[in-house]
Amino acid sequence: MKDQTRVIHSIPSDPLTGAISVPIYQTSTYVQQAPGVHKGFDYSRTNNPTRQVLENLIAVLEGGSHGFAFASGLAAIDAVIKSTLKAGDEIVAIDDIYGGAFRLFSQVYTGFGINVRYVDTQNPDLLEAAVSPATKIIWIESPTNPTLKISDIRAISAIARRKGVLLCVDNTFATPVSQNPLALGADIVVHSATKYLGGHSDLIAGLVVVDSAALAEKVKFIQNASGGILAPFDSWLVIRGIETLGLRIKQHSENAMAVAGFLASHPKVNKVFYPGLSTHANHSVAVTQQRYSGGMVSFTLKPDTIAAANTVVTSARLFKLAESLGGVKSLSCHPATMTHKSIPAAMRIESGITDSLIRLSVGLEDQEDLIADLELALSQV
Ligand SMILES: *Cc1c(COP(=O)(O)O)cnc(C)c1O
C-alpha cells in the first residue's frame, strides 16, 4: 500500500458495531468478569480504546513499534525525559529549541539534577564535541522554530550510536508525512499533535513513538505513573485530523513555497527562511530527509524594526496574528514580541530572531489570496 492508503486504513472500523468512525470511549473504568479478568482495559489512565487507536496509528505513521498519547506536546517531552534520565545525567539539546522545551529543561529538570547543554546541531562536529560521559540523550528539532534550521538527522544518529546515547527528534514541524526520524536512525520521536497532526487549531495534544520494546516499556510506565494522558475525545480529534494529514501537508507545502518565492523577490523583504528555497543554508540536507518543505516560512524586513513587523502583522487580513501553527487557517507571529519576548534582545538577535522577523504558518487558503494579503500588508511598511 502507498502512504495515504496505509494511513487511512490503519484507522480500524469498530470491531463491536462496525462503526466506520472510531468510537469515543468516554469511560474511566471497565467491568471485570472476575478480579483481573477483563478485555484488556481496566482503567483509562492506563489504557483507553480510543487513545489506543491513536497510539497504534502514530506508531504506524512513524514506522515505530509503539506510540503513546499525552495531554500536550510538553507532557510528551516530559514523559520521554522521565523515562530515560535520572539525576546526574545530561541532555545535549539544539540551541534553537522550542521555547517550552527550553523552559522545561532549564527551569524544571535542572532542579532535579539533570544538566542541559545547548549546541548548534546544524554542525554535527560541534554536537559531537558537546557530548560528555554524563550525556544520556541528544535532543533535536528539524526544522526549528522560527528560523527553520535543518539538522542532519542521519549524521546525528551516527554520533548518538557511536557515543552510546539516545537520539530524540521533535518531528512537529515536518510531520511523519514528510520525515521519519526513526528510519533515519533516531530512537525516539515526539510530536506536538496540537499543530499539523490535529491540524485544525482546536486541541492540545502530544505523542511519543519508539521502536524498541525496552524503551516502550519505560514510556508506558511513566505514562501510567505520571498520568499526563490524552482524553478520549481529543484522541478522536487527532485521529480525525490524521485522516487528511497527507493532503494537508502537500497543500501547506505548495502554498508555502509560493509564499516564500513571492517574499524572496519583494523589495521590502530582507531574508526569507524556508527549507524549500535553494538559498536556504541547509537546503541540500533538507531534501535528503524531508519529502515536503512544509508550511512554515519566516522572513525579515527592510527596515529590520519591530515597528515594520508590527505594521505587516496588523495589516494582513487573512494571516491572523496568533501563537501556534499547523492549522488550516494561515497565522502570523512576531517572535520578538510574542513567543520569544522573554529572551534577552542580544541573545535573541544572535540566534537569528531579529526585530522584524515574522513567522508565517501558511494555511490552506488559495495561494493567490495569501500572496495578495501579504502584498497589501508589505505595502504599508
Ligand atoms: C508547540 C510545540 C511544542 C509543545 O507542544 P504543546 O502541544 O504546545 O505542549 C513542542 N515542540 C514544538 C516544535 C512545538 O512547536
Side-chain angles (χ1 to χ4, degrees), residues 134-145:
T135 306
K136 289 285 150 39
I137 196 165
I138 296 171
W139 194 283
I140 64 168
E141 295 168 23
S142 185
T144 61
N145 172 35

Side-chain angles (χ1 to χ4, degrees), residues 71-77 97-101 141 143-145 170-173 190-195 203-206 324-325 359:
S72 68
L74 280 174
I77 293 171
I97 194 168
Y98 173 72
E141 295 168 23
T144 61
N145 172 35
D170 182 333
N171 204 28
T172 299
F173 269 43
V190 300
H191 282 282
S192 169
T194 310
K195 316 292 168 51
L203 64 96
I204 302 283
S324 200
L325 58 109
R359 184 191 78 183

Side-chain angles (χ1 to χ4, degrees), residues 41-340:
F41 300 93
D42 55 0
Y43 188 59
S44 276
R45 173 166 26 75
T46 313
N47 210 349
N48 173 279
T50 312
R51 196 177 88 219
Q52 191 177 65
V53 169
L54 172 61
E55 292 177 331
N56 292 340
L57 179 60
I58 192 63
V60 169
L61 258 71
E62 284 291 10
S65 57
H66 297 77
F68 303 93
F70 294 89
S72 68
L74 280 174
I77 293 171
D78 188 51
V80 169
I81 297 299
K82 284 182 182 155
S83 306
T84 54
L85 273 74
K86 56 180 183 351
D89 291 344
E90 190 172 82
I91 307 168
V92 171
I94 184 162
D95 55 358
D96 201 21
I97 194 168
Y98 173 72
F102 178 80
R103 181 175 55 207
L104 180 64
F105 289 1
S106 300
Q107 295 185 39
V108 179
Y109 295 137
T110 49
F112 291 94
I114 291 171
N115 187 32
V116 196
R117 295 178 190 219
Y118 296 98
V119 54
D120 182 356
T121 60
Q122 289 177 113
N123 181 341
D125 296 336
L126 280 181
L127 171 67
E128 181 146 19
V131 173
S132 83
T135 306
K136 289 285 150 39
I137 196 165
I138 296 171
W139 194 283
I140 64 168
E141 295 168 23
S142 185
T144 61
N145 172 35
T147 54
L148 287 306
K149 285 185 188 164
I150 301 288
S151 293
D152 186 336
I153 299 173
R154 280 187 194 86
I156 293 172
S157 68
I159 294 170
R161 287 279 131 80
R162 222 171 24 249
K163 299 275 187 180
V165 306
L166 294 168
L167 171 62
C168 182
V169 178
D170 182 333
N171 204 28
T172 299
F173 269 43
T175 84
V177 164
S178 177
Q179 174 172 278
N180 299 117
L182 297 177
L184 299 169
D187 301 285
I188 306 169
V189 174
V190 300
H191 282 282
S192 169
T194 310
K195 316 292 168 51
Y196 288 104
L197 297 180
H200 297 75
S201 307
D202 53 10
L203 64 96
I204 302 283
L207 298 166
V208 175
V209 185
V210 298
D211 195 27
S212 116
L215 271 175
E217 197 181 317
K218 291 179 184 175
V219 178
K220 177 76 197 172
F221 178 80
I222 292 297
Q223 184 189 40
N224 186 50
S226 293
I229 47 140
L230 191 63
F233 181 64
D234 289 357
S235 297
W236 181 85
L237 277 175
V238 179
I239 295 166
R240 182 184 164 106
I242 288 174
E243 288 180 342
T244 56
L245 183 66
L247 276 176
R248 286 187 287 108
I249 292 303
K250 193 167 165 216
Q251 195 61 47
H252 280 298
S253 297
E254 277 179 26
N255 287 1
M257 190 68 194
V259 163
F262 161 76
L263 292 170
S265 63
H266 197 282
K268 284 178 186 161
V269 171
N270 185 13
K271 282 189 203 146
V272 180
F273 302 93
Y274 185 62
L277 294 178
S278 57
T279 50
H280 184 281
N282 264 343
H283 173 72
S284 59
V285 176
V287 297
T288 67
Q289 60 191 24
Q290 291 179 220
R291 289 180 283 275
Y292 294 96
S293 299
M296 301 301 297
V297 179
S298 293
F299 63 104
T300 60
L301 298 167
K302 296 175 199 162
D304 192 2
T305 62
I306 286 179
N310 202 48
T311 300
V312 171
V313 296
T314 57
S315 301
R317 290 284 164 268
L318 298 178
F319 283 88
K320 306 290 186 194
L321 182 61
E323 298 196 0
S324 200
L325 58 109
V328 299
K329 279 188 181 168
S330 290
L331 301 178
S332 71
C333 167
H334 182 231
T337 57
M338 294 168 69
T339 48
H340 291 65

